[in-house]
Amino acid sequence: MSEFKLPDVGEGLTEAEIVTWHVAVGDEITVNQTIVDIETAKSVVELPSPYAGTVSAIHVDEGATVPVGTPIIAIGASSADPDDAGDESQAEPKAERQSVLVGYGPRTGVSTRRRRRTGQADAATSQAEAEPETVAEVDPPSPTVSTEPRPVRALAKPPVRKLAKDHGIDLAAVPCDGPIVTRSDVEAFIEGRQQPAAVAAPATTGDVRIPVKGVRKMTAEAMVASAFTAPHVTEWVTLDVSATMALVERLKTDRAFADVKVSPTLVVARAVCLALRRTPEMNATWDEPAREIVVKADVNLGIAAATDRGLVVPNIPAAQTMSLHALAQALGELTATARAGRTQPAQMSGGTFTITNIGVFGVDAGTPILNPGESGILALGAIERRPWVDEDDLVVPRWVTTLALSFDHRVVDGEQGSRFLADVAAILRDPALALTF
């Protein structure tokens, strides 16, 4: 019998929440098979099994938060192995020899889906393979473990399960047209559930308490530490970005960019990388113990992303070395991973400068707080058609936005911050100026 304890998956993890189990008591599993999703302070992480065998016990329920080192699952000898059956003394050494976590040793080439122990129709098998993030189906009871039938578990991805959990909804009660319960299914169920109460009588109002944990807990602690440690200075500039918008539209029709998303954020990201060449102090960090300013060699460009679990800031390593197409591809992959809730801790470490696009919410400007360890963050406001006085003193409609730059005044002087912001604005006013940087 082998006990699998909650490991530290990186960044000095002290605890994690059990989000979704992908196995159940009686299931036979293989080495490196994904068995559970956990939520750390930064992201949702899939944990693989270091052992092969039969699940004999699950110690921690979904939704529980436990410290690192807590036994979360017990795995015994495989019931299909006649040599090990009934001999627990052989089960643990065999499991230890195969204790290889994903990313820390050779893979066995096995599927990450849990093994089906009964015959299934081809259509069901195809659907399971097409939805690798969904929860597994119901298996018959294992005669060696329990004679009680397992309850039916609705198929749903972790973010959908969290939405249902936050509203106290049993996913099995949510009607759905497809094989898995989607976010729209849950939202429709919530709306339908609330309608009868609204018709009958006004709902009693009261305080709602939301537990602060996981990503939101980390964000809260980091923002407080940043706001009260680094002396923030924020500067704004409002500018005509009609030339940038024209460039974006032109690139959207360029066959070389057909496989990536082109947006104003892409041009801003490129402008930031170019402007940091002329003001490298913005790409630096304050080393408090050494009382030194450390200017970073690479621009690890952070992109703030709002997700169901809170704000995350994954970064693109060495963004200054990328072509515009490569940068667009990296932005697309970063955004897709963040929205799926699969950003890994390593992707959110080592950032040197951050961009946050608050304009997607229709906000003109704001005072962004520095990502801890960084000396600069640029907020991109809404890009809107507004009346603008041109060089001929004529009032014309133009695409206008506001940039807000916050920086650490221990590292960056006002002159340096102003020069950097002016450089970014100049490129967005006239992207052709990028050739001069």
Side-chain angles (χ1 to χ4, degrees):
M1 183 75 65
S2 300
E3 295 280 356
F4 179 33
K5 299 178 181 180
L6 179 66
D8 179 358
V9 295
E11 300 301 307
L13 179 70
T14 59
E15 64 180 16
E17 177 186 348
I18 303 299
V19 177
T20 304
W21 282 106
H22 294 288
V23 297
V25 172
D27 287 353
E28 292 184 11
I29 60 176
T30 55
V31 173
N32 284 347
Q33 176 180 338
T34 298
I35 56 175
V36 65
D37 293 340
I38 64 169
E39 181 180 9
T40 71
K42 292 187 175 182
S43 63
V44 175
V45 178
E46 295 178 345
L47 287 187
S49 172
Y51 311 120
T54 302
V55 178
S56 56
I58 290 179
H59 299 311
V60 182
D61 294 332
E62 292 180 357
T65 299
V66 294
V68 167
T70 302
I72 59 175
I73 188 172
I75 303 169
S78 172
S79 60
D81 189 341
D83 294 331
D84 290 346
D87 187 356
E88 280 194 5
S89 64
Q90 297 179 12
E92 190 163 348
K94 179 177 180 179
E96 292 295 339
R97 288 195 301 270
Q98 302 182 66
S99 181
V100 182
L101 288 176
V102 169
Y104 295 89
R107 289 184 60 90
T108 61
V110 297
S111 168
T112 57
R113 293 285 297 172
R114 48 185 278 211
R115 183 184 303 173
R116 296 176 183 269
R117 296 187 292 132
T118 59
Q120 300 276 346
D122 290 343
T125 300
S126 299
Q127 179 60 44
E129 293 174 350
E131 296 288 346
E133 294 182 15
T134 59
V135 180
E137 67 290 335
V138 177
D139 291 340
S142 169
T144 62
V145 179
S146 173
T147 58
E148 293 296 324
R150 286 174 53 196
V152 175
R153 295 187 66 203
L155 302 180
K157 295 181 179 180
V160 179
R161 286 190 174 280
K162 184 177 186 301
L163 175 64
K165 176 184 174 183
D166 290 345
H167 288 82
I169 296 173
D170 180 3
L171 281 173
V174 179
C176 62
D177 296 330
I180 67 172
V181 179
T182 65
R183 172 175 290 277
S184 60
D185 293 331
V186 175
E187 290 173 345
F189 184 81
I190 293 172
E191 182 179 356
R193 185 180 65 172
Q194 292 173 343
Q195 284 178 351
V199 173
T204 302
T205 59
D207 296 340
V208 177
R209 292 183 176 269
I210 302 174
V212 179
K213 55 185 178 180
V215 174
R216 198 168 298 280
K217 177 182 178 182
M218 184 278 295
T219 301
E221 293 173 348
M223 292 299 99
V224 169
S226 177
F228 290 97
T229 300
H232 285 57
V233 173
T234 304
E235 296 183 345
W236 292 267
V237 61
T238 299
L239 64 153
D240 174 3
V241 291
S242 299
T244 286
M245 297 304 289
L247 174 62
V248 168
E249 293 305 313
R250 187 160 65 250
L251 291 177
K252 286 180 179 179
T253 62
D254 190 327
R255 287 188 298 177
F257 287 82
D259 62 331
V260 295
K261 180 181 179 181
V262 178
S263 68
T265 301
L266 171 62
V267 183
V268 172
R270 183 58 176 163
V272 164
C273 290
L274 293 173
L276 287 174
R277 291 181 183 176
R278 304 216 302 195
T279 312
E281 296 85 358
M282 291 296 305
N283 195 53
T285 188
W286 176 268
D287 185 343
E288 179 63 31
R291 305 294 291 181
E292 294 176 340
I293 295 172
V294 183
V295 179
K296 299 296 185 177
D298 286 326
V299 177
N300 296 338
L301 188 61
I303 304 296
T307 72
D308 291 341
R309 296 180 179 277
L311 181 70
V312 297
V313 189
N315 66 77
I316 301 171
Q320 84 282 2
T321 66
M322 295 181 174
S323 66
L324 191 62
H325 181 275
L327 188 58
Q329 189 173 38
L331 278 170
E333 293 172 353
L334 177 148
T335 303
T337 301
R339 287 177 178 171
R342 296 298 175 184
T343 302
Q344 298 304 299
Q347 295 174 285
M348 291 183 282
S349 301
T352 61
F353 189 94
T354 294
I355 295 173
T356 177
N357 186 354
I358 59 176
V360 296
F361 304 107
V363 176
D364 292 334
T367 305
I369 298 178
L370 293 167
N371 206 29
E374 299 177 13
S375 296
I377 180 171
L378 182 73
L380 172 63
I383 301 176
E384 300 174 332
R385 296 287 282 179
R386 301 179 191 173
W388 190 260
V389 180
D390 66 8
E391 58 275 9
D392 298 321
D393 287 336
L394 298 176
V395 177
V396 294
R398 305 291 285 176
W399 288 106
V400 177
T401 192
T402 298
L403 302 178
L405 173 71
S406 290
F407 54 87
D408 185 341
H409 216 331
R410 297 173 300 178
V411 179
V412 180
D413 295 332
E415 181 268 336
Q416 295 166 328
S418 300
R419 184 175 65 233
F420 170 82
L421 183 58
D423 282 345
V424 173
I427 295 173
L428 296 182
R429 288 192 188 97
D430 182 5
L433 285 179
L435 295 174
T436 67
F437 277 69

